[in-house]
């Protein structure tokens, strides 16, 4: 899953990025509201961490703009302690939650998991299950019928995306945007390489689930579920 941090305090934004990456989220961070809005409007993010007080455009305006455009991406506001009116305003305009600075990494991760659950995403503590596949997103280990194999980070992120989407077809463009970012110069053949890596590992593990190519559309998981 991909999270956008919109926070003008550079040290805090970097700290948040490191916490989220440690939990195997893909992260982008920007430092003013207008840029944050541009990134958020790309539609590639599963959740936004949005500071209220920022240059160019404040967080409440960013939130109002997104909600007025029909964007339902979960938003957690980052607020200074005591900004009660801002918290109320943010919730009224469609924020899913808020967290007051300073906060612990444990509280942050719990609020992120809760917001994503409300959205309907699969957000387990340790991993995902689909058919005979078990993917531990913390250790990057793929298990099939008791046999396990370590994936690299991009392989794990790609398989996680396919597992979350279940029988939904995922295009190469969606994979690039989710795994590398919407402004990445990664090309389609990079996706094909990682799909090939995953297929070989699924074959090695004798998995019943397979990655099927839908010609000119994308990829989908198929097999016994």
């Amino acid at each position: 899953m991909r999270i956008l941090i919109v926070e003008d305090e550079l040290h805090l934004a970097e700290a948040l990025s490191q916490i989220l990456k440690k939990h195997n989220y893909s992260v982008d961070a920007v430092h003013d509201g207008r840029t944050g809005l541009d990134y958020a409007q790309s539609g590639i993010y599963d959740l936004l961490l949005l500071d209220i007080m920022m240059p160019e455009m404040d967080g409440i305006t960013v939130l109002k703009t997104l909600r007025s455009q029909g964007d339902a991406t979960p938003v957690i506001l980052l607020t200074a302690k005591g900004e009660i009116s801002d918290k109320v305003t943010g919730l009224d305009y469609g924020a899913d939650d808020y967290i007051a600075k300073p906060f612990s990494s444990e509280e942050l991760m719990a609020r992120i998991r809760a917001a994503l659950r409300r959205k309907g995403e699969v957000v387990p503590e340790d991993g995902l299950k689909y058919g005979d596949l078990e993917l531990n997103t913390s250790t990057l280990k793929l298990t099939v019928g008791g046999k396990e194999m370590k994936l690299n980070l991009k392989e794990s992120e790609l398989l996680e995306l396919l597992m979350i989407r279940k029988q939904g077809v995922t295009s190469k463009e969606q994979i690039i945007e989710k795994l590398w970012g919407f402004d990445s110069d990664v090309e389609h053949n990079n996706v094909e390489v990682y799909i090939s890596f995953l297929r070989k590992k699924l074959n090695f593990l004798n998995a019943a689930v397979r990655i099927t190519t839908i010609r000119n559309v994308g990829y989908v998981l198929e097999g016994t579920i």
Side-chain angles (χ1 to χ4, degrees), residues 190-202:
N190 294 85
V191 175
E192 294 164 3
V193 168
Y194 281 102
I195 289 289
S196 176
F197 289 161
L198 278 179
R199 282 174 169 156
K200 289 176 181 178
K201 292 185 176 181
L202 292 176

Side-chain angles (χ1 to χ4, degrees), residues 15-223:
L16 291 172
S17 295
Q18 293 304 315
I19 291 169
L20 294 172
K21 288 175 182 177
K22 182 179 178 181
H23 287 82
N24 294 319
Y25 288 98
S26 296
V27 182
D28 292 315
V30 296
H31 309 298
D32 68 80
R34 193 168 300 281
T35 304
L37 178 61
D38 289 342
Y39 272 59
Q41 288 173 326
S42 69
I44 70 170
Y45 297 101
D46 299 288
L47 181 138
L48 309 182
L49 292 178
L50 182 61
D51 189 24
I52 290 180
M53 299 301 294
M54 289 184 297
E56 302 292 336
M57 181 183 292
D58 65 84
I60 298 298
T61 302
V62 173
L63 175 64
K64 287 169 60 177
T65 303
L66 291 172
R67 294 297 187 247
S68 69
Q69 295 170 347
D71 190 324
T73 302
V75 173
I76 298 177
L77 294 176
L78 305 177
T79 70
K81 188 174 182 179
E83 292 178 337
I84 301 299
S85 61
D86 284 337
K87 295 173 186 176
V88 172
T89 301
L91 292 172
D92 283 344
Y93 278 114
D96 295 81
D97 200 356
Y98 65 85
I99 184 168
K101 307 172 189 177
F103 47 81
S104 68
S105 59
E106 291 82 3
E107 180 184 6
L108 173 67
M109 298 312 303
R111 289 182 181 273
I112 287 173
R113 290 192 295 269
L116 290 171
R117 280 196 297 270
R118 289 194 292 272
K119 181 188 176 187
E121 300 284 7
V122 180
V123 192
E125 292 281 349
D126 297 313
L128 297 165
K129 292 183 179 181
Y130 183 88
D132 59 349
L133 308 182
E134 296 184 21
L135 176 64
N136 188 310
T137 56
S138 296
T139 64
L140 309 184
K141 288 182 180 179
L142 173 63
T143 304
V144 179
K147 295 173 64 177
E148 70 176 30
M149 176 176 285
K150 182 73 173 287
L151 305 181
N152 65 41
L153 180 57
K154 278 291 180 281
E155 290 171 344
S156 178
E157 290 175 343
L158 175 54
L159 185 57
E160 178 182 0
L161 176 59
L162 295 173
M163 292 173 76
I164 287 172
R165 291 178 61 80
K166 299 181 180 178
Q167 291 98 343
V169 178
T170 305
S171 70
K172 290 178 182 178
E173 289 77 12
Q174 289 172 316
I175 292 170
I176 289 171
E177 289 176 350
K178 283 288 187 181
L179 270 61
W180 285 278
F182 73 93
D183 57 351
S184 171
D185 58 1
V186 168
E187 298 180 352
H188 285 186
N189 62 342
N190 294 85
V191 175
E192 294 164 3
V193 168
Y194 281 102
I195 289 289
S196 176
F197 289 161
L198 278 179
R199 282 174 169 156
K200 289 176 181 178
K201 292 185 176 181
L202 292 176
N203 287 336
F204 179 81
L205 293 171
N206 297 316
V209 174
R210 293 288 185 265
I211 301 172
T212 299
T213 301
I214 308 300
R215 188 172 177 82
N216 298 323
V217 180
Y219 303 99
V220 63
L221 291 182
E222 291 187 342

